[in-house]
Amino acid sequence: MLISRAARRTTLRLGAVALAGVLLAACGSGSSGSSADNNGKVTLTIDLFGTFGFKEAGLYKEYEKLHPNVTIKETSTEQENDYWQALNTHLAGGGGLADIQGIEVGRTASVTQQMSDKFVDLNSLGAKDLKGDYSKAKWAAATTADGRTLGLGTDVGPEAICYRSDLFKKAGLPTGRTELAKMWASWDGYLKLGEQYKAKAGAKSHWIDSIGSLYSLMIGQQKERYYDASGKLVYDKNAAVKSAWDTSVKAAKDGLSAKLTQWSPSWNQAFSSGSFATIGCPAWMLGYIKGQAGTAGKGTWDVAPLPGGVSGNWGGSYLSIPKTSPHAKEAYAFIKWLTAAPQQEKLFKKQGSFPSNLGAIAGVQGVKDPYFSNAPIGELFGTAAQTSPVQVLGVHDRDVDQQITNALGEVEQKGTSSATAWSHAQKGIDNAVG
Amino acid sequence: MTLTAAAPPRTARPPATLRRRLAKLSPYTYIAPFFALFAAFGLFPLLYTAYVSLYRVELQTPGQLEWRGLGNYTALFGDDYFWTALRNTFTIGVISTVPQLMMALGLAHLLNYKLRGRTVFRVTMLLPYATSVAAATLVFAQLFGRDFGLINYLLGLVGVHPVDWQSGTLASQIAVSTIVVWRWTGYNALIYLAGMQSIPADLYEAAELDGASRWRQFLHVTLPGLRPTILFTVVVSTIGATQLFGEPLLFEGSMSGGISHQYQTLGLYMYQEGWGFFHLGRAAATAWVMFVLILLLVLINTVIARRRTRKEAQR
């Protein structure tokens, strides 16, 4: 066919949009583009997932006060999966994108390897100078092989265990952080303590929210998980994955889990109902707990170091600017401010999201959180961040993770055998990758 | 498109004839907007979907097409989860459509009596239909909650163990069907009611003179008179059931239709292929399989209906 390449591409894009329209008649509208009027006023839209906490920590208001011509509008999706899906649909169609989009660390490989042409190279706006503010790994994860930086780091996810000290007390368990940390120095110790809890607590209260979160904690302690350094998918050969899987299955079989699906409405409800006594706590989870358990939960929660000797990392995010943004410059100025040390510090003090900016890490050492029984979260997560491994990331990292936790849910909620569930996980991963 | 006719021939003709010819064309002009829109938003996407289903296309890179031939289809038919979804679509379709249409028929019959405040009841019937799927499903998901759901609470009062409405296969399908039934029963009832009102009253009077009871009147006057209406609702419900999507998606918020795909319908399966895994080619293949499936189902419906009418005519 004698169609010029550009014309062909346009047709294809039109086709893709039309296809999207037909397959997805009732698609969510998402966020609208931003606009600037003649007075130099700019509305910056920012689209996020989960709880970033910028708004809660008052950072938008502060920025608007500093820059009276800027108005900030946030949209947020609770589940990262839904968010990522919408973001990809918008990127494919080229519409509905915000000026600033949040990117979860497990997606960065997909962004840098598959979609690098859709995001602004922040180095061209001056991000080069910020490189020294971050750890090498945090910076590298959002940078393409040819040196384009596509996102500025917000938080990281050093892991700990959050627990309900009031429930511990009722069940006759010790409640001190250091004492608990000693008792659950290993994962075995943690599960043994769970047995004790189970024996004394009522039938309605369980040791952990879900084995999916248990698995995520353990896998966060590994350097190599689903991909090897050369980018090959190795999840089914990795002994660490197997061991985390087996331990999680054992916890389910022993009846230690409340059998909740993470991010589901019933999981959200359970934060205040006391269905579970402990939960895996990457630093960003603190803000989530505060949001779900509300003021009534203040003082009933506490934080202790992670079992297993080393710490781990679970999640963390970036802020990126899609190429469609008409205000890339203003957006860059905003995210530069938002991720600068003083703001990341504030965010940690208010919301618990642990800073990725090295300057901020130094500044939060002494922070304690009154919501979590005055736990020294600065010191705790600071140590955890230093001892957690730098993970090897792959294009389908989040997909693999999701299929495995999904299969674990089967074991937990339906009593499916470990082998069958694992084969389901493999099938799901084949489908997702294929 | 060949809906607009060619320009009239240049031979000189009396203007009256021209006007008459134009008048003949005018109906086509009136229906043209629909067909133009249909071609742009119905036909083109349909054909483009067929085209895409032969390629490997990812959502991240929609411009890069990689020829796969029938590969998407063979992958589809080789995927156990596709067959699970097909089976689920069928079972959920049956346990939602059958009771729904029967209840609608009963309700319509009751509403057809002379009642005080009839209009109020009739309007009320439409309320569930007017509610958005999202709102309805979210409420139902709460009602069917395992730990804090109202339904399990009520079951507990009569001594029944709590049912895991989300992870049980049959339980979850019943829960999803309940939402469908709740939403569509009133809608169908109103359609039946309209059909019933077009049945001449003297038929009933004659039947009553013959001593037929209400029930017999329903069987021998109402049902035969309603046959075309019933056929219509069956076809529409079948199409709706095959495309069932919103309710199972929002029930738990998972694209996989529960942890072990226990209530994943074809619509949801397609959505997961396209927007969960970003394989647009495979999603397109699924869409086409669904399309063919619906055509087949409608065809079967029509054949059965036609055969019945022919039998009737022969009687």
Side-chain angles (χ1 to χ4, degrees), chain B residues 26-37:
Chain B
S26 66
Y28 292 103
T29 334
Y30 294 138
I31 59 168
F34 168 77
F35 284 96
L37 285 175

Side-chain angles (χ1 to χ4, degrees), chain A residues 269, chain B residues 141-155 165:
Chain A
Q269 283 171 352
Chain B
Q142 298 275 324
L143 293 181
F144 280 113
R146 183 191 61 196
D147 297 337
F148 310 103
L150 182 69
I151 292 176
N152 273 347
Y153 170 74
L154 293 177
L155 285 179
W165 291 105

Side-chain angles (χ1 to χ4, degrees), chain B residues 190-211:
Chain B
L190 285 188
I191 293 182
Y192 286 147
L193 185 61
M196 282 175 189
Q197 287 176 343
S198 69
I199 299 172
D202 23 333
L203 283 182
Y204 289 101
E205 279 166 25
E208 213 161 342
L209 282 180
D210 290 344

Side-chain angles (χ1 to χ4, degrees), chain A residues 192-207:
Chain A
K192 253 181 214 144
L193 211 58
E195 296 280 354
Q196 281 182 39
Y197 181 82
K198 188 189 159 196
K200 289 200 189 133
K204 290 214 158 173
S205 187
H206 301 85
W207 181 238

